[in-house]
Amino acid sequence: MRRTGEHQIGPSLDRIAMLMDLMGDPQHSAPVIQITGTNGKGSTAIIVDGLLRAQGLRTGRFTSPHLVDPAERICVDGQPISPEDFDRIWAEIEPLVGIVDAQEVGGIPMTFFEVMTGLAYACFADAPVDVMVIEVGMGGTWDATNVANASVAVFTEISLDHRNYLGDTLEEIATEKAGIIKDNSTVVLAGQDPRVAKVLLARCAKLGVPTSKEGVEFSLLERAMAVGGQVVRLESAGGPVGSLFLPLFGQEMARNAVLAVAAVEALDGMRGLDPSVIEDGFNEVEAPARSEKVHSAPPIVIDTCHNPAAVASTLNTVDEAFAFSPQFAIWSMMADKDVDQVLALLEPRVAVLIATEADTPRALSAEDLGARAREFFGDDRVRVCPDVADAIDMAVALTDEAGAGSGILIGGSVVLAGQARVLLKKDDLVP
């Protein structure tokens, strides 16, 4: 983790490609389902993983970033690899990483994300797995994961984010992400802005690859709230499938689940999954810090939302599933995010915002976030509390004063979500 961080990247496949060559190309040891987009990549990957395992397949899943432990990023059969396996595989590839580092390709040694990607591919080849489920870190074309040739290239909805690396327009961002489409891919597309769809479909046409599109080949037909999640009905390659319990909240999670079904069907030549496989796969789903309720009295929900599109979705999900009134928010954001757009979304829905500070140099200071928040909320509705544990105590006190119906949303940063989750579990607050 002392290496160049994930948000100080050197856009290139040269370093990771050199490492893969030295390792014997483990990224080609099993078919790859690769997932890009702006939001929902991680949860879609988790659901794809569950569906594959419900078919009796052994899976390797690589996602990012992690909430608490880097080993969370590399899962085999749905579980993070053990510290012993992590250390063993690192010991095997460390000399090879050293060879690449010494070359300083592009003027830098391998980045943290590139090394983690190498570890993941080595681990999956070592297991070995039947299918790799790979979440893109950022973009697509030059993302380290893209040394693989995706059998299935999956696109969640694309919106504006990481503009300093991906571009200022939807078309530029879509062009970068379209780089995961290879001439051997089947492409699965969630519903997109027309500007994005035009770019992605043009890439598909150029390479002559088949596509499966939300609203045409697959779709979410109906959903209804249920205890602990929702019941969904979907259109799949095999026709309508109904009464499926999904232990996740919100419309976007339901759409991600349908997208995951379409991705797994694409791997099998667009053949419909048995409804019992979909049911079993959904039952396997656990998605930490995705509108996750971690405490009941007072109710506390944690989410990793960190850009305007994700925050809007999370607010709608929390309103639908938990209906906090009043709602108190504990918030931290990275300094390079669209802070003002997020605060504008929060202001009508949040009674009091507690500005705190996630444990990372990238975080906007609690004081600066508080000052920005006052421009939207006014002085009386903003508190500043840099320490996350103290911020949780403050929010709990506010809900005690407000009484029944009130609740707490913790969001704005993956790092904050991980910190809060550890603190709440450490204090034995999880029911």
Side-chain angles (χ1 to χ4, degrees), residues 126-342:
D126 180 74
V129 301
D130 298 311
V131 184
M132 302 182 199
V133 183
I134 305 295
E135 177 189 356
V136 168
M138 187 189 299
T141 300
W142 40 254
D143 187 79
T145 64
N146 204 33
V147 287
N149 292 319
S151 299
V152 180
V154 182
F155 292 81
T156 68
E157 191 170 351
I158 292 173
S159 58
L160 295 173
D161 199 13
H162 300 301
R163 284 182 284 184
N164 52 333
Y165 286 109
L166 304 182
D168 289 322
T169 68
L170 285 173
E171 292 89 344
E172 289 174 327
I173 293 172
T175 299
E176 283 296 331
K177 293 181 184 291
I180 73 167
I181 303 172
K182 310 293 175 58
D183 57 10
N184 64 304
S185 300
T186 297
V187 178
V188 182
L189 300 175
Q192 304 287 348
D193 181 286
R195 291 166 290 180
V196 171
K198 184 177 180 180
V199 171
L200 299 181
L201 291 173
R203 171 78 172 172
C204 294
K206 179 180 179 180
L207 295 179
V209 298
T211 62
S212 179
K213 300 173 290 297
E214 184 178 15
V216 182
E217 283 80 18
F218 66 94
S219 60
L220 173 65
L221 298 176
E222 295 177 282
R223 66 186 191 91
M225 291 292 296
V227 176
Q230 55 191 312
V231 174
V232 300
R233 181 169 176 265
L234 57 89
E235 181 76 26
S236 73
V241 182
S243 299
L244 298 165
F245 177 70
L246 179 69
L248 300 172
F249 296 102
Q251 181 176 16
E252 293 309 311
M253 282 300 185
R255 289 182 61 203
N256 291 342
V258 180
L259 181 66
V261 170
V264 175
E265 291 178 332
L267 185 67
D268 193 28
M270 302 288 197
R271 284 186 284 271
L273 287 176
D274 188 301
S276 65
V277 168
I278 302 176
E279 183 177 26
D280 291 345
F282 284 3
N283 286 338
E284 291 288 320
V285 171
E286 293 182 9
R290 273 79 168 186
S291 295
E292 179 189 20
K293 186 178 179 183
V294 295
H295 191 238
S296 295
I300 302 175
V301 171
I302 298 176
D303 200 276
T304 59
C305 57
H306 57 275
N307 58 50
V311 170
S313 175
T314 296
L315 290 170
N316 290 336
T317 296
V318 171
D319 282 352
E320 177 184 80
F322 307 108
F324 298 154
S325 182
Q327 180 171 195
F328 302 98
I330 300 171
W331 216 257
S332 176
M333 293 192 70
M334 302 299 106
D336 59 347
K337 294 297 180 181
D338 292 325
V339 176
D340 289 346
Q341 288 189 49
V342 167

